[in-house]
Amino acid sequence: MADLGGADGPAFRVQVRDWLKANYPPELRDPARTDPEAVWGGRAFVGSDDPQSVWMRRAAERGFTAPAWPRDYGGGGLSPAQTRIVEQEIAAGGYRTPLASFGVWMLGPVLLEYATEDQRREHLPKIVRGEIRWCQGYSEPGAGSDLAALATRCEDMGDHWLINGQKIWTSYADKADWCFCLVRTDTAKKHEGVSFVLIDMTSPGVETRPIRLISGDSPFCETFFTDVKIPKGNLVGKVNAGWEIAKRLLQYERQNISGGFGGGGGAGGIAGDLGKIAADYVGLDETGRLADADLRSRITRNKMDFRALQQTIARVAAESRASNGPNAATSIIKYAAAAMAQERSELMVEAMGAQGLGWAGDEYSPLERQAVRGWLRSKGNSIEGGTSEVNLNVIAKRVLGLPDPK
Amino acid sequence: MAVLSEEQSMLRDAAKAWTQEKSPVRALRGLRDSRSDHGYDTEAWNEMAQMGWAGVIVPEAYGGSEFGFLSMGLILEELGRTLTASPLLASGLAAASALTLGGSEAQKAEWLPKIADGSTIATLAIDDGPHHAPERTALAATASGDGYRLNGRKTFVLEGMAADLLVVSARGPKGIGLFLVRADAAGVNRTRLQLADSRGAANVTFEETPAQALAGGAGLLDQVLDRARAGVAAEMLGSASQAFETTLDYLKVRVQFGQPIGAFQALQHRAAKMFTDLELSRSAVEAALAALDVDSPEAPELVSLAKAKMGDTFHLVSNEMVQMHGGIGMTDAHEAGFYLKRARAAEAAFGNQAYHRDRYARLQGY
């Protein structure tokens, strides 16, 4: 691997650009010729000659699947500035992300901070190379916004841990190889009774069931653990000290969800300029304005809000680089993005009129069907990854310093 | 807060220190109660001018410091925090922009140095009627000798009583343009407006009034208005931020039912939503000012975004300021009413939210 340390200027950018051009499989320019699931990696794709898998392997060798992680664990060892350059060049060139991974986005950063050296050497390189696909075992039927109410038991059996319980909203549990999971190791305490464990999904006693949503099929699953045995070495950090790790991981998750919103989507969102799509369906009047004045005004508010959100994301990034400190504006992004994405999805189906009500069939274009499913799916934006109500509580208490009620 | 240069940080700190000490909200109350002619404190204005604020966007060749719009915005934001009344926006930003962008060499040399040192007050006269519609102005400019004659009326002219020089939009032989009029010229008649926000403004009529044209027509008018709009938005950002912070402080100290009312989730969520809107608005305002500094082709869109978003936010925050203060917020003795009244006047200045949403949509082709 070429030395990537040092320069973070134009020379590095050119180096990255040339490498991307030379190594991106031409087949990926035609999405039909590759399995979209391969972008997530995992045992099902390791060693396959699917173009996406080839792309993932090449990027991993170059350190571009986890550019900021230390090289000791297979990362790129790049500075924040260099990492940004890599991300910018991948986006600007229209390249597919080499690896979409909860391991890269969520688990890896907390392993770097809390795991033992053995655990890091065991898991991080496999994440970087996309060999193991991870899922997140957090929510339970009785523990949603009040996550620390989780009840999945983890008992010390001397030479192993024994897991019994149920998780829900486990994205891609049916496709994942391993699960990072919150479990209860002490039933007498709440937050201080939670531990953070790693579970091989092929262990006997693990069962997954996909969940159908109001929008149709979904990546979400229910995950059941019945007398699942895991080795003692699969607990991260100390016993009963998992809540801190859980919270840190949620910070990475929220950053990641918000980052996705910046482009105008959010889960369920469809691409395209709302103003132009509305013009296609509603038409313009003799002054060149959208013929539905009320809809036009609401679309404009939403477009303005999204642009202000993108400006805020850019501002937070610039301020964080300048000060290296936490930034109060970060706290608003998830809440604001969810509200805007939902409003946008509503406006999209309203603009399409009766064509924005189609569920299936050839009378509706793919965009129209997608708009309907997207509108329904977007209802989850203000629920997943922390509800909007919890987001507002966090802003009120931690940022604005408002007191707890008596 | 945008990432600032060292000079910009110093400028902001100086503006903050000066406004907090010399121009708290009670200064505006004093101006209102004394029924001041100009609507601002001339001594305070002299101090501001001595600090160079009136010349922040004026080119160095004409006595300014050419620090740019983001820098001017920092000062206006601090003035907005304490609702400081001054001709800085009308003269040092709006009229100075008109002369810098559209003035001949002679016009610039005559006026800009005096605007930059604060000795001349200049202002824009744009609106014919109660709604901002610059593209529909009916005030007539007819050619006369080597200049023009103006006939018609303008309303809601900021600092209209104090101004020495008026920059007037009018419909001339070649379409809409901007014209320079001395306030003491023949046929100028000014009436002081008593506005709810206590700031200085006037209605002005023109009868065969001699005027000189600025170069640039409707394009110049648009550019000048965008600079004024971004400036108002920056001032509103300061006012709304302070209104919010004052309200937040009150939520922490006002006790009912045996606890601070800020412990109630119904109020906490409303406070968190206001904070969200303020952060979004700050981004929009700073982006608009930065776009003007680099003369970005996106500036018109970004300015309309900033003025509309900031208008909605200040509207909300000023209403909530009164509501969350309860009865005390309804009294004239409290500051809340001053922020509420200023909010509506600032929203209306150079186009309200509806105007700028319509403009944004037009610019985007739908």
Side-chain angles (χ1 to χ4, degrees), chain A residues 45-333:
Chain A
F45 290 96
V46 169
S48 81
D49 58 0
D50 186 283
Q52 173 67 39
S53 293
V54 173
W55 170 226
M56 187 180 72
R57 276 199 297 277
R58 287 180 186 165
E61 258 171 61
R62 177 73 192 209
F64 284 177
T65 52
W69 292 8
R71 280 203 238 171
D72 282 355
Y73 309 114
L78 301 186
S79 68
Q82 289 174 320
T83 300
R84 263 174 57 79
I85 289 174
V86 172
E87 289 165 356
Q88 285 168 351
E89 288 301 318
I90 287 176
Y95 300 110
R96 191 185 286 212
T97 185
L99 174 61
S101 162
F102 297 153
V104 171
W105 300 331
M106 299 186 224
L107 177 63
V110 301
L111 289 184
L112 282 168
E113 197 172 344
Y114 295 97
T116 63
E117 185 60 21
D118 282 351
Q119 287 169 331
R120 282 184 260 182
R121 291 205 178 275
E122 168 66 21
H123 296 292
L124 291 175
K126 291 178 189 165
I127 291 173
V128 170
R129 294 196 297 265
E131 290 173 11
I132 294 296
R133 180 171 178 177
W134 287 84
C135 64
Q136 178 185 23
Y138 265 44
S139 295
E140 296 182 7
S145 286
D146 184 10
L147 181 61
L150 62 95
T152 295
R153 285 284 286 135
C154 174
E155 291 168 275
D156 188 345
M157 308 304 282
D159 61 342
H160 66 271
W161 299 104
L162 189 67
I163 316 273
N164 277 289
Q166 183 196 344
K167 294 289 170 182
I168 194 169
W169 307 120
T170 330
S171 304
Y172 303 110
D174 53 341
K175 299 190 167 76
D177 306 308
W178 278 68
C179 178
F180 50 91
C181 195
L182 298 181
V183 292
R184 179 150 303 286
T185 36
D186 186 340
T187 52
K189 292 175 179 151
K190 193 174 178 184
H191 298 83
E192 296 82 21
V194 173
S195 296
F196 190 100
V197 297
L198 308 176
I199 302 173
D200 186 334
M201 295 293 277
T202 60
S203 312
V206 177
E207 190 198 340
T208 61
R209 261 183 239 158
I211 299 171
R212 196 172 154 77
L213 296 180
I214 54 175
S215 49
D217 291 338
S218 88
F220 296 114
C221 295
E222 293 177 286
T223 306
F224 300 90
F225 299 106
T226 310
D227 289 332
V228 176
K229 293 181 186 174
I230 66 167
K232 295 301 285 259
N234 283 18
L235 190 142
V236 180
K238 294 203 171 79
V239 178
N240 294 329
W243 186 246
E244 185 190 331
I245 305 174
K247 278 193 302 182
R248 184 62 55 90
L249 188 140
L250 280 178
Q251 287 178 352
Y252 291 111
E253 179 180 5
R254 280 171 197 167
Q255 268 174 24
N256 194 56
I257 291 176
S258 305
F261 281 127
I270 67 173
D273 182 89
L274 197 45
K276 291 197 170 65
I277 292 172
D280 287 345
Y281 283 87
V282 178
L284 302 177
D285 68 13
E286 63 281 2
T287 68
R289 291 171 169 87
L290 199 65
D292 181 339
D294 185 284
L295 177 66
R296 178 174 182 261
S297 170
R298 287 181 288 128
I299 284 176
T300 306
R301 271 176 203 266
N302 183 254
K303 280 166 62 81
M304 284 183 159
D305 278 341
F306 255 117
R307 200 152 176 195
L309 177 69
Q310 286 157 355
Q311 291 169 336
T312 302
I313 291 168
R315 177 165 72 86
V316 166
E319 290 170 5
S320 303
R321 281 198 299 280
S323 74
N324 279 326
N327 191 305
T330 313
S331 64
I332 69 146
I333 290 173

Side-chain angles (χ1 to χ4, degrees), chain A residues 303 307 312 319 393 406, chain B residues 1 258 269 279 283 301 364:
Chain A
K303 280 166 62 81
R307 200 152 176 195
T312 302
E319 290 170 5
N393 284 346
K406 270 184 195 164
Chain B
M1 176 67 59
H269 283 193
E279 289 296 325
S283 309
E301 280 183 20
Q364 299 223 337

Side-chain angles (χ1 to χ4, degrees), chain A residues 7-74:
Chain A
D8 58 0
F12 179 72
R13 189 180 289 279
V14 170
Q15 211 184 334
V16 171
R17 197 173 294 170
D18 290 347
W19 186 90
L20 290 171
K21 212 176 283 176
N23 289 277
Y24 194 67
E27 299 94 320
L28 288 183
R29 295 280 180 196
D30 176 8
R33 296 184 57 186
T34 182
D35 183 342
E37 276 298 318
V39 75
W40 291 89
R43 284 174 185 146
F45 290 96
V46 169
S48 81
D49 58 0
D50 186 283
Q52 173 67 39
S53 293
V54 173
W55 170 226
M56 187 180 72
R57 276 199 297 277
R58 287 180 186 165
E61 258 171 61
R62 177 73 192 209
F64 284 177
T65 52
W69 292 8
R71 280 203 238 171
D72 282 355
Y73 309 114

